[in-house]
Coordinates of all heavy atoms in Angstrom, one line a residue:
M263 N 69.5 80.4 102.9 CA 70.5 81.0 102.0 C 69.9 81.1 100.6 O 70.2 82.1 99.9 CB 71.7 80.2 102.0 CG 72.9 80.7 101.2 SD 73.4 82.3 102.0 CE 74.6 82.8 100.9
D264 N 69.1 80.1 100.2 CA 68.5 80.2 98.9 C 67.5 81.3 98.7 O 67.5 81.9 97.6 CB 67.8 78.9 98.5 CG 68.8 77.7 98.4 OD1 70.0 78.0 98.0 OD2 68.5 76.6 98.6
A265 N 66.8 81.7 99.8 CA 65.9 82.8 99.7 C 66.6 84.1 99.5 O 66.2 85.0 98.7 CB 65.0 82.9 100.9
L266 N 67.8 84.2 100.2 CA 68.6 85.5 100.0 C 69.1 85.6 98.6 O 69.1 86.6 98.0 CB 69.7 85.5 101.1 CG 70.7 86.7 101.0 CD1 69.9 87.9 101.3 CD2 71.8 86.5 102.0
L267 N 69.6 84.5 98.1 CA 70.2 84.5 96.7 C 69.1 84.8 95.7 O 69.3 85.4 94.7 CB 70.9 83.1 96.4 CG 72.2 82.9 97.1 CD1 72.7 81.5 96.8 CD2 73.2 83.9 96.8
H268 N 67.9 84.2 96.0 CA 66.8 84.5 95.1 C 66.4 86.0 95.1 O 66.1 86.6 94.1 CB 65.6 83.7 95.5 CG 64.4 83.8 94.5 ND1 64.5 83.4 93.2 CD2 63.2 84.3 94.7 CE1 63.3 83.7 92.6 NE2 62.5 84.3 93.5
A269 N 66.5 86.6 96.3 CA 66.2 88.0 96.4 C 67.2 88.9 95.7 O 66.9 90.0 95.2 CB 66.1 88.4 97.9
M270 N 68.4 88.4 95.6 CA 69.5 89.1 95.0 C 69.7 88.8 93.5 O 70.6 89.3 92.9 CB 70.9 88.8 95.7 CG 70.9 89.3 97.1 SD 72.5 88.8 97.9 CE 73.6 89.7 96.9
Q271 N 68.7 88.1 93.0 CA 68.8 87.6 91.6 C 69.0 88.7 90.6 O 69.8 88.5 89.6 CB 67.6 86.8 91.2 CG 67.8 85.9 90.0 CD 68.9 84.9 90.2 OE1 69.1 84.4 91.3 NE2 69.6 84.6 89.1
P272 N 68.4 89.9 90.7 CA 68.7 90.9 89.7 C 70.1 91.4 89.6 O 70.6 91.8 88.6 CB 67.8 92.1 90.2 CG 66.7 91.5 90.9 CD 67.3 90.3 91.6
L273 N 70.9 91.2 90.8 CA 72.3 91.6 90.8 C 73.1 90.6 90.0 O 74.3 90.9 89.7 CB 72.8 91.7 92.2 CG 72.3 92.9 93.0 CD1 72.8 92.9 94.4 CD2 72.8 94.2 92.3
F274 N 72.6 89.4 89.8 CA 73.3 88.4 89.0 C 73.2 88.5 87.5 O 73.8 87.7 86.8 CB 72.9 87.0 89.5 CG 73.4 86.6 90.9 CD1 72.5 86.6 91.9 CD2 74.7 86.3 91.1 CE1 72.9 86.3 93.2 CE2 75.1 86.0 92.4 CZ 74.2 86.0 93.5
A275 N 72.5 89.5 87.1 CA 72.4 89.7 85.6 C 73.7 90.3 85.1 O 74.4 91.0 85.8 CB 71.3 90.7 85.3
A276 N 74.0 89.9 83.9 CA 75.3 90.4 83.3 C 75.3 91.9 83.0 O 74.3 92.4 82.4 CB 75.5 89.6 82.0
A277 N 76.3 92.6 83.5 CA 76.4 94.0 83.2 C 77.1 94.3 81.9 O 76.7 95.1 81.1 CB 77.2 94.7 84.4
F278 N 78.2 93.5 81.7 CA 78.9 93.6 80.4 C 79.8 92.3 80.3 O 79.8 91.5 81.2 CB 79.8 94.9 80.4 CG 80.8 95.0 81.5 CD1 82.0 94.5 81.4 CD2 80.4 95.6 82.7 CE1 82.9 94.6 82.4 CE2 81.3 95.8 83.7 CZ 82.6 95.3 83.6
T279 N 80.4 92.2 79.1 CA 81.3 91.1 78.9 C 82.7 91.6 78.8 O 83.0 92.5 78.2 CB 80.9 90.4 77.5 OG1 79.5 90.0 77.6 CG2 81.8 89.2 77.2
L280 N 83.6 90.8 79.5 CA 85.0 91.2 79.6 C 85.8 89.9 79.2 O 85.7 88.9 79.9 CB 85.4 91.7 81.0 CG 86.8 92.2 81.2 CD1 87.0 93.4 80.3 CD2 87.0 92.5 82.6
W281 N 86.6 90.0 78.1 CA 87.4 88.9 77.6 C 86.6 87.7 77.4 O 87.0 86.5 77.8 CB 88.6 88.6 78.6 CG 89.6 89.7 78.6 CD1 90.2 90.3 77.5 CD2 90.0 90.5 79.7 NE1 91.1 91.3 77.9 CE2 91.0 91.4 79.3 CE3 89.7 90.4 81.1 CZ2 91.6 92.3 80.1 CZ3 90.3 91.3 81.9 CH2 91.3 92.2 81.5
G282 N 85.4 87.8 76.9 CA 84.5 86.7 76.6 C 83.7 86.1 77.7 O 83.0 85.2 77.5
G283 N 83.8 86.7 78.9 CA 83.1 86.2 80.1 C 82.2 87.3 80.6 O 82.6 88.4 80.7
P284 N 81.0 86.9 81.1 CA 80.1 87.9 81.6 C 80.5 88.4 83.0 O 81.0 87.6 83.8 CB 78.7 87.2 81.7 CG 79.1 85.7 81.9 CD 80.4 85.6 81.1
V285 N 80.3 89.7 83.2 CA 80.6 90.3 84.5 C 79.3 90.8 85.1 O 78.6 91.5 84.4 CB 81.6 91.5 84.4 CG1 81.8 92.1 85.7 CG2 82.9 91.0 83.8
T286 N 78.9 90.3 86.2 CA 77.6 90.6 86.8 C 77.6 91.9 87.5 O 78.7 92.5 87.9 CB 77.1 89.5 87.8 OG1 78.0 89.5 88.9 CG2 77.1 88.1 87.1
W287 N 76.4 92.5 87.8 CA 76.3 93.7 88.5 C 76.8 93.5 90.0 O 77.4 94.4 90.6 CB 74.9 94.2 88.5 CG 74.4 94.8 87.3 CD1 73.6 94.3 86.3 CD2 74.9 96.0 86.7 NE1 73.5 95.1 85.2 CE2 74.3 96.2 85.5 CE3 75.7 97.0 87.2 CZ2 74.5 97.3 84.7 CZ3 75.9 98.2 86.4 CH2 75.3 98.3 85.2
L288 N 76.6 92.3 90.5 CA 77.1 92.0 91.8 C 78.6 92.2 91.9 O 79.2 92.7 92.9 CB 76.7 90.6 92.2 CG 77.1 90.2 93.7 CD1 76.2 90.9 94.7 CD2 76.9 88.7 93.8
E289 N 79.3 91.7 90.9 CA 80.8 91.8 90.9 C 81.2 93.3 90.7 O 82.2 93.7 91.4 CB 81.4 91.0 89.7 CG 81.2 89.5 89.9 CD 81.7 88.8 88.6 OE1 80.8 88.6 87.7 OE2 82.9 88.4 88.6
V290 N 80.5 94.0 89.9 CA 80.8 95.4 89.8 C 80.6 96.2 91.1 O 81.5 97.0 91.5 CB 79.9 96.0 88.6 CG1 80.1 97.5 88.6 CG2 80.3 95.4 87.3
V291 N 79.5 96.0 91.7 CA 79.2 96.7 93.0 C 80.3 96.3 94.1 O 80.8 97.1 94.8 CB 77.8 96.4 93.5 CG1 77.6 96.9 94.9 CG2 76.8 97.0 92.5
A292 N 80.5 95.0 94.2 CA 81.5 94.5 95.2 C 82.9 95.1 94.9 O 83.6 95.5 95.8 CB 81.6 93.0 95.2
F293 N 83.3 95.2 93.6 CA 84.6 95.7 93.3 C 84.7 97.2 93.6 O 85.7 97.7 94.2 CB 84.9 95.5 91.8 CG 86.1 96.1 91.3 CD1 87.4 95.6 91.6 CD2 86.1 97.3 90.6 CE1 88.5 96.2 91.2 CE2 87.3 97.9 90.1 CZ 88.5 97.3 90.5
V294 N 83.6 97.9 93.2 CA 83.6 99.4 93.5 C 83.7 99.6 95.0 O 84.5 100.5 95.5 CB 82.4 100.1 92.9 CG1 82.2 101.5 93.4 CG2 82.5 100.0 91.4
L295 N 82.9 98.9 95.8 CA 83.0 99.0 97.3 C 84.4 98.7 97.8 O 84.9 99.3 98.7 CB 81.9 98.2 97.9 CG 80.5 98.6 97.7 CD1 79.5 97.6 98.4 CD2 80.3 100.0 98.3
S296 N 85.0 97.7 97.2 CA 86.3 97.3 97.7 C 87.4 98.4 97.4 O 88.2 98.7 98.2 CB 86.8 96.0 97.0 OG 85.9 94.9 97.4
V297 N 87.3 98.9 96.2 CA 88.2 100.0 95.9 C 88.0 101.2 96.8 O 88.9 101.9 97.3 CB 88.1 100.4 94.4 CG1 88.9 101.7 94.1 CG2 88.6 99.2 93.5
A298 N 86.7 101.6 97.0 CA 86.4 102.7 97.9 C 86.9 102.4 99.3 O 87.4 103.3 100.0 CB 84.9 102.9 97.9
M299 N 86.8 101.2 99.8 CA 87.3 100.8 101.1 C 88.8 101.0 101.2 O 89.3 101.5 102.2 CB 86.9 99.3 101.4 CG 87.4 98.8 102.7 SD 88.9 97.9 102.8 CE 88.7 96.7 101.5
V300 N 89.5 100.6 100.2 CA 91.0 100.8 100.2 C 91.3 102.3 100.2 O 92.2 102.7 101.0 CB 91.6 100.1 98.9 CG1 93.1 100.5 98.8 CG2 91.5 98.6 99.0
V301 N 90.6 103.1 99.4 CA 90.9 104.5 99.4 C 90.6 105.1 100.8 O 91.4 105.9 101.3 CB 90.1 105.2 98.4 CG1 90.1 106.7 98.5 CG2 90.5 104.8 97.0
L302 N 89.5 104.7 101.4 CA 89.2 105.2 102.8 C 90.2 104.7 103.8 O 90.5 105.4 104.8 CB 87.8 104.9 103.1 CG 86.7 105.6 102.4 CD1 85.3 105.1 102.7 CD2 86.8 107.1 102.6
N303 N 90.7 103.5 103.7 CA 91.7 103.0 104.6 C 93.0 103.8 104.5 O 93.6 104.1 105.5 CB 92.0 101.5 104.3 CG 91.1 100.6 105.1 OD1 90.6 101.0 106.2 ND2 90.8 99.4 104.6
I304 N 93.3 104.2 103.3 CA 94.5 105.0 103.1 C 94.4 106.3 103.8 O 95.3 106.9 104.4 CB 94.8 105.2 101.6 CG1 95.3 103.8 101.0 CG2 95.9 106.3 101.3 CD1 95.4 103.8 99.4
R305 N 93.2 106.9 103.7 CA 92.9 108.2 104.4 C 92.5 108.0 105.8 O 92.2 109.0 106.5 CB 91.7 108.9 103.6 CG 92.1 109.2 102.2 CD 91.0 109.9 101.5 NE 91.4 110.2 100.2 CZ 90.7 111.0 99.4 NH1 89.5 111.5 99.8 NH2 91.1 111.2 98.1
V306 N 92.6 106.8 106.4 CA 92.3 106.5 107.8 C 90.9 107.0 108.1 O 90.7 107.8 109.1 CB 93.4 107.1 108.7 CG1 93.2 106.5 110.1 CG2 94.8 106.8 108.2
N307 N 89.9 106.6 107.4 CA 88.5 107.0 107.6 C 87.8 105.7 108.1 O 87.9 104.7 107.5 CB 87.9 107.4 106.2 CG 86.6 108.1 106.4 OD1 85.8 107.6 107.2 ND2 86.3 109.1 105.7
A308 N 87.0 105.9 109.1 CA 86.3 104.8 109.7 C 85.2 104.2 108.8 O 84.7 103.1 109.1 CB 85.7 105.3 111.0
W309 N 84.8 104.9 107.8 CA 83.7 104.4 106.9 C 84.3 103.2 106.1 O 83.5 102.6 105.4 CB 83.2 105.5 106.0 CG 82.2 106.3 106.6 CD1 82.4 107.6 107.1 CD2 80.8 106.0 106.9 NE1 81.2 108.0 107.7 CE2 80.2 107.1 107.6 CE3 80.1 104.9 106.6 CZ2 78.9 107.0 108.0 CZ3 78.8 104.8 107.0 CH2 78.2 105.9 107.7
A310 N 85.5 103.0 106.1 CA 86.1 101.8 105.4 C 85.6 100.5 105.9 O 85.4 99.6 105.2 CB 87.6 101.9 105.4
W311 N 85.4 100.5 107.2 CA 84.9 99.2 107.9 C 83.6 98.7 107.3 O 83.4 97.6 106.9 CB 84.9 99.4 109.4 CG 86.3 99.4 109.9 CD1 87.1 100.4 110.1 CD2 87.0 98.2 110.4 NE1 88.3 100.1 110.7 CE2 88.3 98.7 110.8 CE3 86.8 96.9 110.4 CZ2 89.3 97.8 111.3 CZ3 87.8 96.0 110.8 CH2 89.0 96.5 111.3
P312 N 82.5 99.6 107.3 CA 81.3 99.1 106.8 C 81.3 98.7 105.3 O 80.7 97.7 104.9 CB 80.3 100.3 106.9 CG 80.9 101.1 108.0 CD 82.4 100.9 107.9
L313 N 82.2 99.4 104.5 CA 82.3 99.1 103.1 C 83.0 97.7 103.0 O 82.6 96.9 102.1 CB 83.1 100.1 102.4 CG 82.5 101.5 102.2 CD1 83.4 102.5 101.4 CD2 81.1 101.4 101.5
A314 N 84.0 97.4 103.8 CA 84.6 96.1 103.8 C 83.7 95.0 104.1 O 83.7 93.9 103.5 CB 85.8 96.1 104.8
I315 N 82.8 95.2 105.1 CA 81.8 94.2 105.5 C 80.8 94.0 104.4 O 80.6 92.8 104.0 CB 81.1 94.6 106.8 CG1 82.1 94.6 108.0 CG2 79.9 93.7 107.1 CD1 81.6 95.3 109.2
V316 N 80.3 95.0 103.8 CA 79.3 94.9 102.7 C 80.0 94.2 101.5 O 79.4 93.3 100.9 CB 78.7 96.2 102.3 CG1 77.8 96.1 101.1 CG2 77.9 96.7 103.5
S317 N 81.2 94.6 101.1 CA 81.8 94.0 99.9 C 82.1 92.5 100.2 O 82.0 91.7 99.3 CB 83.1 94.8 99.5 OG 84.1 94.7 100.5
S318 N 82.5 92.2 101.4 CA 82.8 90.8 101.7 C 81.5 90.0 101.6 O 81.5 88.8 101.1 CB 83.4 90.7 103.1 OG 84.7 91.2 103.1
L319 N 80.4 90.5 102.1 CA 79.1 89.8 102.0 C 78.7 89.6 100.6 O 78.2 88.5 100.2 CB 78.1 90.5 102.8 CG 78.2 90.5 104.3 CD1 77.2 91.4 105.0 CD2 78.1 89.1 104.9
L320 N 78.9 90.6 99.7 CA 78.6 90.5 98.3 C 79.4 89.4 97.6 O 78.9 88.6 96.9 CB 78.7 91.8 97.6 CG 77.7 92.9 98.0 CD1 78.0 94.2 97.3 CD2 76.3 92.4 97.7
Y321 N 80.7 89.4 97.9 CA 81.6 88.4 97.4 C 81.2 87.0 97.9 O 81.3 86.0 97.1 CB 83.1 88.7 97.6 CG 83.7 89.7 96.7 CD1 84.2 90.8 97.1 CD2 83.7 89.4 95.3 CE1 84.8 91.7 96.2 CE2 84.3 90.3 94.4 CZ 84.8 91.4 94.9 OH 85.4 92.3 94.0
F322 N 80.8 86.9 99.2 CA 80.4 85.7 99.7 C 79.2 85.1 98.9 O 79.1 84.0 98.5 CB 80.0 85.8 101.2 CG 79.4 84.6 101.8 CD1 80.2 83.6 102.3 CD2 78.0 84.4 101.9 CE1 79.7 82.4 102.8 CE2 77.5 83.3 102.4 CZ 78.3 82.3 102.9
A323 N 78.2 86.0 98.6 CA 77.0 85.6 97.9 C 77.4 85.2 96.5 O 76.8 84.2 95.9 CB 76.0 86.7 97.8
L324 N 78.3 85.9 95.9 CA 78.7 85.6 94.5 C 79.4 84.2 94.5 O 79.1 83.4 93.6 CB 79.7 86.6 94.0 CG 80.3 86.4 92.6 CD1 79.3 86.5 91.6 CD2 81.5 87.3 92.4
F325 N 80.3 83.9 95.4 CA 81.0 82.7 95.4 C 80.1 81.5 95.8 O 80.2 80.4 95.2 CB 82.2 82.7 96.4 CG 83.3 83.6 95.9 CD1 84.0 84.3 96.9 CD2 83.7 83.7 94.6 CE1 85.0 85.2 96.5 CE2 84.7 84.6 94.2 CZ 85.4 85.3 95.1
W326 N 79.1 81.8 96.7 CA 78.2 80.7 97.1 C 77.3 80.3 96.0 O 77.0 79.2 95.7 CB 77.4 81.2 98.3 CG 76.6 80.1 98.9 CD1 75.3 79.8 98.6 CD2 77.0 79.3 100.0 NE1 74.9 78.8 99.4 CE2 75.9 78.4 100.3 CE3 78.1 79.2 100.7 CZ2 75.9 77.5 101.3 CZ3 78.2 78.2 101.7 CH2 77.1 77.4 102.0
S327 N 76.8 81.3 95.2 CA 75.9 81.0 94.1 C 76.7 80.3 93.0 O 76.1 79.6 92.2 CB 75.3 82.3 93.5 OG 76.3 83.1 92.9
S328 N 78.0 80.5 92.9 CA 78.8 79.8 91.9 C 79.3 78.4 92.4 O 80.1 77.8 91.8 CB 80.0 80.6 91.5 OG 79.6 81.8 91.0
K329 N 78.8 78.0 93.6 CA 79.2 76.8 94.3 C 80.7 76.7 94.5 O 81.3 75.6 94.5 CB 78.7 75.6 93.5 CG 77.2 75.5 93.4 CD 76.7 74.3 92.7 CE 75.3 74.2 92.6 NZ 74.4 75.2 92.8
L330 N 81.3 77.8 94.8 CA 82.7 77.9 95.2 C 82.7 78.1 96.7 O 83.0 79.2 97.3 CB 83.4 79.1 94.5 CG 83.5 79.0 93.0 CD1 84.0 80.2 92.4 CD2 84.4 77.8 92.6
Y331 N 82.4 77.1 97.5 CA 82.2 77.1 98.9 C 83.4 77.5 99.7 O 83.4 78.2 100.7 CB 81.5 75.9 99.4 CG 80.2 75.5 98.7 CD1 80.1 74.4 98.0 CD2 79.2 76.4 98.8 CE1 78.9 74.1 97.3 CE2 78.0 76.1 98.1 CZ 77.9 74.9 97.4 OH 76.7 74.7 96.7
G332 N 84.6 77.0 99.2 CA 85.8 77.3 99.9 C 86.2 78.8 99.8 O 86.5 79.4 100.8
D333 N 86.0 79.4 98.6 CA 86.2 80.8 98.5 C 85.2 81.6 99.2 O 85.5 82.7 99.8 CB 86.2 81.2 97.0 CG 87.4 80.7 96.2 OD1 88.4 80.6 96.8 OD2 87.2 80.5 95.0
A334 N 83.9 81.2 99.3 CA 82.9 81.8 100.0 C 83.3 81.8 101.5 O 83.0 82.8 102.2 CB 81.5 81.2 99.8
S335 N 83.8 80.7 102.0 CA 84.1 80.7 103.4 C 85.3 81.6 103.8 O 85.4 82.1 104.9 CB 84.5 79.2 103.9 OG 85.6 78.8 103.2
L336 N 86.2 81.9 102.8 CA 87.3 82.8 103.1 C 86.8 84.2 103.2 O 87.4 85.1 103.9 CB 88.3 82.7 102.0 CG 89.1 81.4 101.9 CD1 90.0 81.5 100.6 CD2 90.0 81.3 103.1
Q337 N 85.6 84.5 102.7 CA 85.1 85.9 102.8 C 84.5 86.1 104.2 O 84.4 87.1 104.7 CB 84.0 86.1 101.7 CG 84.5 86.2 100.3 CD 85.5 87.2 100.1 OE1 85.4 88.3 100.5 NE2 86.6 86.9 99.4

C-alpha cells in the first residue's frame, strides 16, 4: 500500500486553499469524478459505474494516507 501511495504522491500536492485548509489534487479529481458519476446515473448511462469505482478508490487512498482507516474501509 505504501508503494501505491508513494506513486500517487504528486496528487497529494495542494491545488488551492479553501477556508484556510489545503485541497489536494486527489480531492479535486475524486470530487469531479463523483459529480460526473451522479450526472451519468441520472441519465442512466453505464459509464457511471467505472467512474464510481475510480472515485471510491481515490477517496480510499486519500483517507488511508490521512490515517482515517474507518473512512477508508467505508469506501
